[in-house]
Each structure stands twice: as structure tokens, then as C-alpha cells.
Amino acid sequence: MKKIAILTSGGDAPGMNNAVRSIVKTALAKGMEPYLVYEGYYGLHSGNIKLATEVNVDQYIAKGGTFIYSARFPEFKNPKIRLEAKKQLDNLGIEALVVIGGDGSYYGAQLLHEIGVKTMGLPGTIDNDITSSEFTIGFDTALNSIVENVDRIRDTMESHNRAAVVEVMGHGSGDLALFAGLATGAEVVVTSENIKSPKEIASIVKKQIKEMGKRSVIIIVSELIYDNLDKLSKTIEEFSGVVTRGMSLSHLQRGGVPTAMERVNSSLMGIKAVEYLIKGESGLAIGILNGKFTGTPILEALALPREDRHKFANIVNDLNQS
Ligand code: ADP
């Protein structure tokens, strides 16, 4: 195999640039010609493809987002559009494509694999919701951003004897909330697997402040559980008697300089993808499983059940409320 292409798709995630860099450099070292596809499947379909040697990929090593850009392109679900996209690769003699993205992007990669493009998927999503990898590209950086912001919010709440509801990303997977909860000592963590009513939260807040004498309470909630954060905060305030503020970290948690672990893991996953392609493999999702970098057939990867986090959620809540 001589020519391979890379694209990033779906939500951007810090570490994507490190993965792209590592794929490009590994491919060049193995005598291949790497190409960059700009704007995900949209760019693949329109032929926005450039030789990677035209770009200095090292300059993005400490930059979040994705320098080859991303796009949402629902038209890619249409088989005719996928054949047209494949034609763009065929015209350039490109045999393989590495797709860095979430589960939607993985479906696209699987369908390309089925029509003869050699594909590899890398788990690019801050939500940590790709079960074929214990950690996804972007998760560690987003987690660190959340922790940094919650620490700041804690300073203020502590000074004023208040509670704060902090909404973070990750609906289907509550890992950002749970891991951030453990790292910040948030007294309450609510995820889709572990929902609490506003009154239940209020009674914990009341106990923590009025009985246990804490100066502040942090409540971390995953997105899309409560439809109105102001309303939730008001209800908590009303039933606990503790002044409560609500805020969403929103896109503050998505971008930013990739952490060291992010850079390391993303780079190693990129190398692994090229190694599998050289071996002639296709249709694999690269990830870290039991501490090892490995490939799982994409369809199998998409069907793997999520790890049950109930016990973990209880541990976090028990530890932080004591
Ligand atoms: P993510 O990859 O982060 O889950 P999306 O679900 O938005 O993000 O998917 C990213 C892109 O992948 C979509 O815009 C579309 O181009 C492609 N895609 C998603 N689902 C499918 C599918 N079922 N079949 C083919 N392509 C898909």
C-alpha cells in the first residue's frame, strides 16, 4: 500500500492533531504517501484532499481542535454519496483511510470498508463513549479543563457559602462528570445512569452545609438531564436554603492545549493504525484495552456494551459526601 488518507469527523477533540501528525510521520517513514482530507466526510465527497507533505504537521503538536477541520455531513448515510466519495480516493490512487471521530464517524468508516476502502477508526471524542477504548482522544484534556474550572468555581462558592450546579458534556456517557467529580471532590454527581431529583440534591446540599458545616457544595451534572439549569438551581436553593448558582461549561471544555497523556495516547494510536494497514487489515477501531493498543472490528466495537458505572458513581458520591 502506497497512498493513505486521514480525516477528522464529528465533534473536534484535543489530541486529534497529534494523531494526524503521528499517522503522517509514520506513513512517510514507511515509504507511503499520506494525504489530508479537509472537513471530514464532506471534504472527502467534494475532493478537498491535499498531500500531507505540503503541511508542517509538527506545528500543531500543542494545539487543540483539528487543523484539518471537521464537519457534520448527514448526506454520507446515502450509499450513492459514499460511492462518489470513494471515487475521489480512487482518482488519486488512495487505498486506505484513517477516520478519527466518534461512533457516527465509525459507521461511515465501516460502510467505506464494505465498499473496498481499507479503513481504520481512531476514537476521537471528548465524551469517552467509544467502548472499544478505555480512553478516547480528547477525554483527558476535556477532563482537565473541567477540573480547572470547577476548582475556580469552588474558590468563589467557598468564600460566599454557596452551592453551584456545573453542567458538563457527555450525555450517553457520564465519564466526564464522574471523573471530574472524583478529581474535584464534587459533593453530588449526576449522570444519566444515576439521576437524582432536584429535591434529593437539595437535601444533600442542606446536610452538607447546615449539618456538616461545609462552606460550599459543588453539584456536577451531565448535559441534557435537566432542561433548565436556572430552574434546577432555584429549586435546590428553595428546598435547601442555600444560595445556589447554575452554570454550563459548554464549549469551554472542548478546545484547548492537549494534555501530555492526550498527546502520547493519540500519537501511539496513530502509529498502531498505520501498522495495521501495513499488515493489510481493514475495518478496525483502534483503542486502548487492558492497557494495550489494539484493534477491534468496527461493528464489534460499536456493539460493545458500556461499562456499568453505578458502582463508580456510588463510590464518588460516598467519598465526596463524607
Ligand atoms: P461523531 O462521529 O462524533 O459521533 P456524528 O454522529 O455527527 O459525530 O457523525 C459524524 C459524521 O459521520 C456525520 O456527519 C456523517 O457524515 C457520518 N455518519 C454518521 N452516522 C453515519 C451513518 N450511520 N452512516 C454513514 N455515515 C455516518
Side-chain angles (χ1 to χ4, degrees), residues 9-11 41 71-74 76-77 82 101-105 107-108 111 124:
S9 171
Y41 291 124
R72 310 272 182 193
F73 185 53
F76 207 65
K77 291 180 187 168
R82 288 197 299 276
D103 49 8
S105 306
Y107 271 114
L111 294 167

Side-chain angles (χ1 to χ4, degrees), residues 64-122:
T66 161
F67 78 92
I68 54 173
Y69 315 132
S70 190
R72 310 272 182 193
F73 185 53
E75 292 84 349
F76 207 65
K77 291 180 187 168
N78 178 340
K80 184 169 164 279
I81 296 285
R82 288 197 299 276
L83 280 174
E84 288 167 4
K86 180 179 184 293
K87 191 103 204 314
Q88 298 285 7
L89 294 174
D90 293 343
N91 288 344
L92 291 166
I94 299 170
E95 286 174 62
L97 177 69
V98 183
V99 172
I100 310 171
D103 49 8
S105 306
Y106 270 24
Y107 271 114
Q110 169 64 23
L111 294 167
L112 284 174
H113 160 73
E114 289 172 13
I115 56 170
V117 181
K118 295 209 178 295
T119 58
M120 288 289 145
L122 257 65

